[in-house]
Amino acid sequence: MGTTGSEFAPDFVKTNGLVPTIAQDAATGEVLMMAFMNEESWNKTLQTGEVHYFSRSRNCLWHKGGTSGHVQKVVSIRLDCDNDTVLIRIEQVGGAACHTGRRSCFFRELKDGRVEDCSPMVFDPKEVYK
């Protein structure tokens, strides 16, 4: 038996107000980034259908793509078994999730003893974040 939307929420109390949140491309399964949500960003995401996070470095609500235009449109949201980690399956507008201009924030890979870039550049951050 399923639960209703009002019963579906992270346990912000257990996690001291911030829950790790993974953004995954809904079409390909590629993990694009990990950030944190607080209750305000969770509610804003549910209200708008675009992902909002809590920026720990700026200590404020952060609308992903608000500056670059590379917003994340919610396809579905999953919670882990302990309600303390969020997986958001998204449509990544503009093709890039990372502020460095890469498709994914996970763009470096250690394989066979070598580190290589494994995610393409999509935009020049110097041009986007003037």
Side-chain angles (χ1 to χ4, degrees):
M1 181 186 283
T3 60
T4 65
S6 62
E7 298 167 342
F8 186 82
D11 187 344
F12 292 105
V13 174
K14 178 169 62 171
T15 61
N16 295 317
L18 295 177
V19 293
T21 303
I22 300 162
Q24 179 185 42
D25 186 292
T28 68
E30 180 181 15
V31 174
L32 299 178
M33 61 177 283
M34 196 292 289
F36 290 89
M37 283 188 152
N38 64 3
E39 194 164 4
E40 180 184 15
S41 60
W42 169 261
N43 290 331
K44 195 78 167 166
T45 296
L46 295 179
Q47 291 166 4
T48 66
E50 292 185 353
V51 184
H52 291 70
Y53 297 102
F54 180 79
S55 171
R56 295 179 303 161
S57 61
R58 293 175 287 203
N59 197 33
C60 65
L61 185 69
W62 161 39
H63 176 206
K64 177 64 178 159
T67 301
S68 67
H70 298 154
V71 297
Q72 295 178 337
K73 296 189 178 286
V74 175
V75 173
S76 67
I77 301 175
R78 297 178 182 183
L79 291 174
D80 76 333
C81 57
D82 295 322
N83 289 339
D84 60 7
T85 303
V86 177
L87 172 65
I88 302 184
R89 299 179 70 243
I90 57 135
E91 174 193 339
Q92 179 65 59
V93 174
C98 186
H99 73 281
T100 66
R102 302 253 180 203
R103 166 113 177 107
S104 171
C105 293
F106 298 95
F107 63 87
R108 293 178 301 252
E109 180 177 51
L110 175 62
K111 187 175 180 180
D112 298 325
R114 294 181 17 198
V115 177
E116 296 182 357
D117 288 346
C118 61
S119 185
M121 287 294 290
V122 176
F123 68 87
D124 181 352
K126 291 178 193 160
E127 292 298 315
V128 172
Y129 303 113
K130 293 180 181 180

